[in-house]
Every structure is written in structure tokens, then in C-alpha cells.
């Protein structure tokens, strides 16, 4: 296996809106080495989130190209060609390898912080005790061990995002994808979140791909790439 | 692999009003459903309780019940000689020649007339049906124009109190006593001396039926054989008393059940649509959550199961509430004309384990049907589209 954790080969993505074809990404090739913290920047509608979704395995690129070039529209993440996985297998793959951080945190409002963080572990075979240990460790990492029994609405935005980060790391995934993680936060909270992401990279050797508008957030990343009109540039 | 049930339940709790209304709708349907079955079961139980295992009723062939039946006196005397028939304390066979007729009485609190069964019996009738117990007054005197009145008649009809008189066949009959009979159909009857009733009806040679006690309940076949062999009994049909009364209940119980079930099914369509609307709203409100769960790796079928369980949980709670309310009906007694005998019969709503299980199963079915389409929609959502909804 290569040390490239993420490899995209000539990936295109076109959306159909009614009968209209809207190209979002065209012929993108990208490699992200293991342990890298990559920031994707670009104007709205440039396809950043679509690219992130493709890497995360929640969206699919256009159909494979002609036989002449079988490497078109291929996405290999952590050694797995995502195009070969069926839907259920892809779901199982996501639960093992992907941690998700969303702009609006996407915590389930009816579950406590503890239960939200525990969610990804429900897909594992860990014992109840092991699950508890993992959840507590993850919440400790984000500094919210004392808020375990709080519901999302009892937390501030920054705290909610920290719970979401705990949820993203609790199952120890290889890669973390973050879509505008500071987009809904004030400066202080945003800085806290970025410090956390940096720690995940440096201390826990996670590969992180982050989409952001925020130049301050991008500064924390080790590599910044720009996406414009569906094309990628460093 | 499953999304925790607590997620579904807490979601229902966040939408208390819609959840409550949905539960109410389902509770109403289950209430009607249970009530109908309880009614049908009540009729059956009352009539079945009327019969005894060891007793055999004899009617003229071709008569479905006692009213049109003619039972000659000489045959009755002959039956008493058969060895399968039990002997009472006085050394006589336990057998009652009975004559049945119907009189009209005014119901208390209305101007409606009701049909009341009058049963003329032999002295052995009380030994034949030990459940019949006097609660007021005394037994009527044989050879006199006196009657005893069943408790349901006593409480529902005018002029049926102790010491009052009833008009049967143009004569005045004094009420000597009131009796109970374990809630069975006999409580809806008036009993007098068979010979006196026959006289007043100008019906001298034939009774309506005869009921006898077997030595042992297994002697039924032997009695049947003995009577089949004797040509003099060829006009007579015998039947276990319990089965006879069960048959009398069937027409009525079936009618109630069918009518009730048709009504319930129509109602249930409404309740299911209610549940469906609630669940569609629930799916629409939680689109982003569904997208998130799917992104985290939960499969489509987990999402389907979650919403289906939520719907089933709603309707099961509704079912329990409906059943609970319906169980309160057991304290009510109602009275209506029994189709089998065209006479007034008082009976109670009666709940059985079977009915409870059917009612709950019915509520679960409503939950599954009402919840399936919304749950399927939730499961079919595209992750990216769902995450984008806000």
C-alpha cells in the first residue's frame, strides 16, 4: 500500500438538474499523503464540498471512463477503491475509516453529548465497557468530560462543535473530513476548534481534509489547495 | 447495528402534541375494535355459561330453538326411564319438561316493549341448574300462578319487582322470588310451573323441550345410541345444553363482530393516515439527522427500522390506551334482542386475553402500514441531499 492515504485520479462530477448537466468537478487529480492536514479553499459553488463528499464516500463521481483509460474517476482511500464498494459496504467502510465534522455540527438534538459521541461505536463490536472508555476518552480530548449529560441545546456553538469532533474521533478513523468546521463560530471558538484539529494531526497522526472559507483556519493546515470552477490548484 | 430505540422515543417526546393526537386516533380505533370483540364475546359467554356440560337438551327435529319446538308429554315420560339419566335426591330422574313462551313488558325508563322469555319448568329444574339461586323471596309454589324472575328482568322491566304481578296468557301471576344464575342467560328469564304455563297457553299435550342431567357427561353418546335405536324417539333431536346455547349465540356474535369489524376497518384507515402524516412530518423535520446517521455509516435498513419502530411504538401506546379504556366497559351490562331466541338478553362486555392480543396486534399492524411509506422515504434519502437540507 502506498503512503498516499487519498488518491483521486481524473475525477469528474456532474450534477443533473432536470435535464440540465451541471459540471461541478472536472478531471481532478489529487493525492494526500498519510498524516497531512489539507485545506481546500475556493469560492462558493466551486465544488469544495462535492470534492470532500467524494473523498468521504458519501457521494460518487461520474461513471468510469472508457476502457482506454480505466483510471478515470477512480478514488482510492486508504487502499480501497471506493468505486468497487456497494452501498452497504461503503457505509461499513465509512464507519471504520471516516470521521465527519460538519459546519452546523449535526448533533442529534434528542441525544446527550455522551450518546452523540457514542453513535459511531454502535456500529462496532466493542463491549459496553469499552464503548464507555472510548466515549470518555474522546470527550476528555475535547475538554468536555464534564458536559457528558448535556443535550446539544444546552451547549454553546463551540462546545457543540467540540462534541462533534469527539464523535468524529471516537472510533479512531484514519481520515477526518471537516466541512467548514469554523463557519458558524465566533473567533475564539473557531481558534479552539482549529487548535484541536491541529492536535489531531500532530498528536494522533490523523489525515485531515478540511473545506474552509476562513483564511485563519486555512493557516493552521499544512497544505492549502484552491478550487475554482471545478479545477484544483495549489 | 441499530440506531438506539431511545432516539425514536425521545423524538416522539419532543413532538408531544402530534404524538398525543396520533396516539389518540389509534386508541379510538383500538377501543372500538376491542369493544366490538368484547361485545361478541360477552354474548357468547353469557349464553355458553347458560348451558351445563352434563345437561342435554331435547327438541323436536327441525326446530332450531325451543320456541317453535313441540315435545309430546308421552315422549317426555319415556325419556325419564332411560338409564343414562341421573337420579336426584328424591329418587326421581333429574329432568325438566319445559315450555317456553314470550311476553311483552315495558322497559324501565322508556316506553319500549321488550320480549321476555317465560320458561315453565318441572320441580327438578333447580337441581338441573344449580347456578340458579334465589336472592329475594321464595321459590314459586308448583300448582299455583306464581313465578320467579331473573335478576336482569327484575332490574330492567317495569312491574317485575317482588310481590308485583305479571300478565302471562291473560292471567295474573304473582312474583314470589328473584333469582340470579351466575350472569348466564337464565337471568333474562321468568320461571314458573310448566303445567300452569301450559294451561294458561292452552297447550295441553306438548312441552317445548326437555332438559335432562346425564349420570356422567361422557354418557352423551350412549344416550344418543339408546334413542336412535328406539323408533319412538325418532322425532327427537338431542344436543348438549352448552353446545345448544353456544349455537344460539353464534348468529348474534357473528353479526356484532362483522358489523363492528367493518366499522373498525374504515376507522383504522383514518388512524393510519394520521400516523402516516405524523411520520412524514417527522422524517421531514429530521432530514439532516438522517443524512448524518447515514454518513456515520448507519445503513438504509437501520434508518427504515428506526422510523418503523417509532411508528409501531406510537401505535402500540395507542393500542394500550384504547384497550385500557375498553377494559372499563366490562362494568357495563347491556341488553338487546338475541336473534336466536328473539328474546331480550342481558350481557356484559367481556375481555379475554385473545381479544387483548388481537387488539394490540391490530395496533401494531396500523403502525406498520402507517409508518412504512414515511420510513421508506427516510431510508431512500440521498446522503448529500439530506445533509444539505436545513
Amino acid at each position: 500500500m502506498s503512503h498516499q492515504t487519498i488518491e483521486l485520479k481524473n475525477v469528474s462530477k456532474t450534477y443533473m438538474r432536470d435535464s440540465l448537466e451541471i459540471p461541478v468537478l472536472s478531471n481532478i487529480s489529487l493525492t494526500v499523503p498519510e498524516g497531512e492536514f489539507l485545506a481546500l479553499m475556493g469560492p462558493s459553488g466551486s465544488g469544495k464540498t462535492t470534492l470532500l463528499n467524494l473523498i468521504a464516500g458519501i457521494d460518487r463521481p461520474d461513471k468510469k471512463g472508457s476502457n482506454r483509460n480505466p483510471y478515470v474517476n477512480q478514488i482510492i482511500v486508504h487502499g480501497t477503491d471506493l468505486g468497487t464498494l456497494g452501498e452497504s459496504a461503503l457505509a461499513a467502510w465509512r464507519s471504520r475509516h471516516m470521521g465527519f465534522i460538519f459546519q452546523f455540527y449535526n448533533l442529534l438534538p434528542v441525544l446527550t453529548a455522551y450518546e452523540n459521541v457514542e453513535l459511531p461505536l454502535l456500529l462496532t463490536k466493542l463491549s459496553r465497557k469499552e464503548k464507555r472508555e472510548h466515549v470518555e476518552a474522546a470527550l476528555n480530548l475535547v475538554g468536555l468530560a464534564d458536559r457528558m449529560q448535556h443535550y446539544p441545546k444546552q451547549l454553546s456553538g463551540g462546545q457543540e462543535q467540540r462534541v462533534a469532533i469527539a464523535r468524529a474521533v471516537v472510533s479512531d478513523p484514519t481520515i477526518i473530513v471537516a466541512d467548514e468546521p469554523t463557519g458558524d463560530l465566533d473567533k475564539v471558538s473557531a481558534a479552539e476548534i482549529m487548535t484541536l484539529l491541529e492536535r489531531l494531526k500532530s498528536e494522533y497522526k490523523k489525515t485531515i481534509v478540511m473545506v474552509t472559507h476562513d483564511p485563519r483556519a486555512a493557516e493552521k493546515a499544512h497544505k492549502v489547495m484552491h478550487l475554482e470552477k471545478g479545477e484544483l490548484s495549489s | 447495528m441499530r440506531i438506539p430505540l431511545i432516539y425514536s422515543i425521545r423524538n416522539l417526546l419532543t413532538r408531544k402534541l402530534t404524538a398525543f393526537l396520533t396516539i389518540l386516533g389509534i386508541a379510538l380505533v383500538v377501543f372500538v375494535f376491542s369493544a366490538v370483540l368484547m361485545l361478541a364475546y360477552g354474548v357468547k359467554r353469557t349464553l355458553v355459561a347458560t348451558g351445563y356440560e352434563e345437561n342435554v337438551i331435547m327438541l323436536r327435529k327441525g326446530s332450531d330453538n325451543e320456541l317453535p319446538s313441540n315435545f309430546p308429554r308421552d315422549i317426555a315420560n319415556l325419556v325419564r326411564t332411560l338409564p343414562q339419566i341421573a337420579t336426584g335426591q328424591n329418587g326421581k330422574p333429574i329432568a325438566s319438561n319445559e315450555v317456553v313462551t314470550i311476553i311483552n313488558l315495558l322497559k324501565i325508563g322508556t316506553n319500549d316493549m321488550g320480549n321476555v322469555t317465560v320458561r315453565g319448568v318441572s320441580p327438578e329444574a333447580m337441581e338441573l341448574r344449580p347456578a340458579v339461586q334465589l336472592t329475594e323471596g321464595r321459590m314459586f309454589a308448583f300448582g299455583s300462578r306464581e313465578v320467579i324472575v331473573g335478576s336482569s328482568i327484575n332490574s330492567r322491566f317495569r312491574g317485575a319487582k317482588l310481590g308485583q304481578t305479571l300478565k302471562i296468557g291473560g292471567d295474573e301471576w304473582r312474583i314470589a322470588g328473584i333469582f340470579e344464575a351466575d350472569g348466564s342467560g337464565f337471568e333474562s328469564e321468568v320461571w314458573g310451573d310448566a303445567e300452569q304455563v301450559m294451561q294458561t297457553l292452552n297447550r295441553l299435550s306438548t312441552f317445548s323441550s326437555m332438559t335432562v342431567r346425564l349420570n356422567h357427561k361422557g354418557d352423551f353418546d350412549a344416550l344418543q345410541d339408546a334413542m336412535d335405536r328406539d323408533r319412538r324417539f325418532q322425532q327427537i333431536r338431542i344436543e348438549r345444553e352448552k353446545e345448544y346455547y353456544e349455537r344460539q349465540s353464534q348468529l348474534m356474535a357473528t353479526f356484532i363482530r362483522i358489523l363492528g369489524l367493518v366499522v373498525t376497518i374504515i376507522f383504522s384507515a383514518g388512524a393510519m393516515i394520521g400516523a402516516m402524516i405524523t411520520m412524514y412530518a417527522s422524517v421531514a423535520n429530521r432530514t439532516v439527522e438522517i443524512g448524518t446517521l447515514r454518513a456515520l455509516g448507519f445503513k438504509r435498513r437501520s434508518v427504515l427500522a428506526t422510523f418503523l419502530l417509532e411508528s409501531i411504538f406510537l401505535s402500540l401506546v395507542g393500542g394500550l390506551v384504547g384497550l385500557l379504556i375498553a377494559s372499563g366497559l366490562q362494568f357495563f351490562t347491556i341488553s338487546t334482542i338475541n336473534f336466536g331466541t328473539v328474546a331480550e338478553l342481558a350481557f356484559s362486555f367481556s375481555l379475554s386475553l385473545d381479544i387483548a392480543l388481537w387488539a394490540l396486534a391490530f395496533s401494531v399492524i396500523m403502525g406498520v402500514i402507517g409508518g412504512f411509506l414515511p420510513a421508506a422515504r427516510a431510508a431512500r434519502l440521498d446522503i448529500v441531499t439530506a445533509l444539505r437540507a436545513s
Side-chain angles (χ1 to χ4, degrees), chain A residues 88 91-92 95 119-125 131, chain B residues 1-4 293 297-303 305-306:
Chain A
S88 272
S95 72
L119 271 177
L121 298 183
L122 300 178
L123 296 164
T124 66
K125 289 198 169 74
K131 279 181 194 150
Chain B
M1 284 299 274
R2 205 166 306 132
I3 300 165
L293 285 166
F298 287 93
K299 295 189 174 149
R300 286 185 195 273
R301 58 168 181 268
S302 298
V303 173
T306 297

Side-chain angles (χ1 to χ4, degrees), chain B residues 101-118:
Chain B
T101 188
I102 284 181
I103 59 168
N104 290 317
L105 292 178
L106 274 172
K107 289 188 191 175
I108 291 174
T110 68
N111 283 321
D112 296 336
M113 293 290 239
N115 289 346
V116 173
T117 300
V118 175

Side-chain angles (χ1 to χ4, degrees), chain A residues 51-126:
Chain A
L51 184 57
L52 194 72
N53 290 344
L54 290 173
I55 295 170
I58 57 176
D59 203 353
R60 304 252 193 199
D62 290 345
K63 291 267 172 343
K64 288 226 172 192
S66 61
N67 291 337
R68 201 157 49 87
N69 188 354
Y71 300 113
V72 164
N73 283 326
Q74 193 179 37
I75 301 173
I76 299 171
V77 182
H78 203 62
T80 307
D81 183 348
L82 300 191
T84 62
L85 298 179
E87 191 171 294
S88 272
L90 194 58
W93 176 87
R94 280 197 303 274
S95 72
R96 266 200 311 281
H97 297 290
M98 280 292 154
F100 287 87
I101 301 170
F102 304 93
Q103 180 177 1
F104 299 106
Y105 337 124
N106 290 20
L107 299 177
L108 304 196
V110 298
L111 300 184
T112 61
Y114 181 97
E115 288 161 340
N116 265 293
V117 175
E118 194 188 20
L119 271 177
L121 298 183
L122 300 178
L123 296 164
T124 66
K125 289 198 169 74
L126 295 179

